[in-house]
Amino acid sequence: MRLYIIFILILVSTSSLCSQMRVENLNRGLVAVRQHDGYYLKWRLLGNEPYNTSFDIYRNNKKINDRPIADVTSYFDSIAALNSDYKVKAIIDDLETEMSSSSFIINNTQGENAGFFDIPLRQPSEGIHGGKYFANDASVGDLTGDGNYEIVVSWSPNNARDNSHRGISDNVLLDAYTLNGEFLWRIDLGPNIRAGAHYTQFLVFDLDGNGRSEIMVKTAPGSRDGKGNFLSKGSAADADHSIEYRNRSGYILEGPEYITVFDGLTGVELATADYWPLRGNVSDWGDSYGNRVDRFNATIAYLDGERPSAVFQRGYYTRMTLAAWDWRDGKLSLRWTFDSDDAGHEQYAGQGNHSIHVIDANNDGRHDIVTGSAVIGSDGTGMHTTGMGHGDATHVTYMIKDHPYPQIFMPHESGGHGVSLRHANSGEIIFNHRNPNDVGRGVGAEIDPEIPGFHFWGTHRLGLFDINGDVVGDVPNSMNFIIWWDGDLSRELMNRNRIDKWSIRNNSSTRLLTAEGARSINGTKATPVLQADLFGDWREEVVLLREDGQALRVYTTTIPTIHKLYTFMHDPVYRVAISWQNSSYNQPPHPGFYVATDMDFPPPIPNVVIIDQR
């Protein structure tokens, strides 16, 4: 019997490690960016293709390369007529595959090394409480099923409020647009969802594997779908949409709370259920006026190692809860719940962050949830907590070359904990530099190819530290996002509308992009609307808000590279990072493997299977 049990355990373990995560059926993502008298071309290496896949390039249906392009997924066609039509064919096992669709043409340039295009927006009229609307956080998904990404952007009124501040806000709106600027729909979350950075975390992802992304978000009576209809399914079937539950201070502390799935193509309501957990007694969350009860985060995670689930978090200052939801076969169901009020979970209270992250912390083939000082396992049980409490920022990825487990870097708000680096599987501390202040921001990334390896820094002069926690230079001039922009494998600093290259030896930066006519969002946080590998090769695009507020402005690099990587959007850890990027205080995405100057090539082949519904 004992041998039989051991055999079964090995079988289960092997099965989980061999399972493949289902990812989007993306097209080649070919873009052509005008550069001097020609075009700089970039395209995707897809996650289900051999690394040695090579490519032929066609301009106006005529092949223009002498030999197949194998070492990179980019090409500079130095002389070409304006608006030339480009296509590529992949060559696998010496056979040409199907021709790609025509390239997306970008004729606007910014400086020497960037192209950009605008996505016109339908700015809402002023709200009934006087709020003027500005485009805020965004996410992407293939809403139409054509292999291209569409963008879902939230509209925040300027009377939005942080949870700690009183005041009545206007409604939160969600719009969907194609990258060509076609408007698809608008969802109005209604008067019973308060506007502010910590209230509405929206998820855009293909949750049921039908080839098109859905939208999942917290709703309430008064919410309308993309056709303008009030919610009417499940828990909302008998809702009274005429009631406004806000109190005199603007807080909404009573009334029904829902979770709703909307169709990505039309915005139509697909299913609605009671939110978990409901707020209950507000004071049980740590105050009586509504600050702590309405602190939310949300993310997608592959909790079973194969299919995506939605995870919604409520609370982190005191009581901390998470609920995992599945949208499968037309049914919305709870997979599991986690509550720090439950017996055995008490040590997880107060350990969450203004951000949420996903990683396979223990290499079992399933995603785990990182919420600040705590890690919650794929099965909804606690894995570890440092007990160092709440913070704002987190960076989670493989930071030590050849180490079997990923790491977590975190600045801390209280307790004098400063900044810490720990192993994600066990919580073992690698280094901890204490500081009596609220260390509100911090970054972990490789930023200089001349000094390979990850480096770390935070506010209050904490850093620049190497992987051992030793000081090796000055703190870089940005505490914000980091981005793959130039041609090397280190990341660049992104802050406001600028991208800089940092030199550790010289303690100085070189400007790579100033996005004239565009700006960041979220006030002093100065974050992009979105950062993601939206198209082209593996490097990332940045979405900002045009200065007049009437359009999103999407920037992409034209700096040459000698490196070839799979599209990051077919790395499940990176892909779900785009889903959680809009949560609370936005954080930049990281992949689920080690990417740095000294990384090994070829890179790991993504353990994924492409959804084939087109």
Side-chain angles (χ1 to χ4, degrees), residues 486-502:
D486 67 6
D488 62 44
L489 296 167
S490 296
R491 298 185 93 168
E492 286 65 60
L493 309 177
M494 185 168 68
N495 189 26
R496 300 188 183 278
N497 66 339
R498 305 185 298 269
I499 296 176
D500 291 337
K501 186 72 173 178
W502 186 258

Side-chain angles (χ1 to χ4, degrees), residues 341-518:
D341 276 1
D342 289 345
H345 292 164
E346 296 89 348
Q347 69 270 31
Y348 289 89
Q351 302 305 308
N353 262 27
H354 289 317
S355 56
I356 190 169
H357 298 254
V358 170
I359 198 75
D360 180 0
N362 55 3
N363 287 340
D364 67 353
R366 297 183 288 268
H367 283 169
D368 307 299
I369 310 302
V370 180
T371 173
S373 294
V375 178
I376 309 302
S378 60
D379 60 355
T381 61
M383 290 182 65
H384 79 254
T385 176
T386 65
M388 292 182 179
H390 163 77
D392 290 353
T394 325
H395 292 260
V396 185
T397 188
Y398 286 80
M399 301 179 183
I400 304 174
K401 189 175 187 293
D402 296 328
H403 196 281
Y405 298 107
Q407 286 70 47
I408 301 168
F409 176 70
M410 178 181 168
H412 299 273
E413 184 169 299
S414 60
H417 295 296
V419 295
S420 66
L421 179 68
R422 71 188 196 267
H423 291 298
N425 64 317
S426 64
E428 177 188 357
I429 300 295
I430 300 170
F431 69 74
N432 177 205
H433 288 279
R434 295 181 62 80
N435 187 283
N437 297 287
D438 173 357
V439 183
R441 302 187 194 182
V443 183
E446 185 191 88
I447 54 173
D448 187 345
E450 294 185 359
I451 305 178
F454 274 66
H455 289 85
F456 310 89
W457 65 100
T459 57
H460 302 283
R461 303 180 65 83
L462 281 168
L464 183 71
F465 305 114
D466 64 14
I467 199 70
N468 299 312
D470 298 325
V471 176
V472 294
D474 290 349
V475 175
N477 58 7
S478 172
M479 294 285 173
N480 211 346
F481 274 47
I482 33 83
I483 185 171
W484 279 294
W485 186 259
D486 67 6
D488 62 44
L489 296 167
S490 296
R491 298 185 93 168
E492 286 65 60
L493 309 177
M494 185 168 68
N495 189 26
R496 300 188 183 278
N497 66 339
R498 305 185 298 269
I499 296 176
D500 291 337
K501 186 72 173 178
W502 186 258
S503 169
I504 294 175
R505 287 194 177 97
N506 296 321
N507 290 316
S508 64
S509 62
T510 301
R511 180 63 44 82
L512 300 181
L513 174 70
T514 300
E516 301 289 350

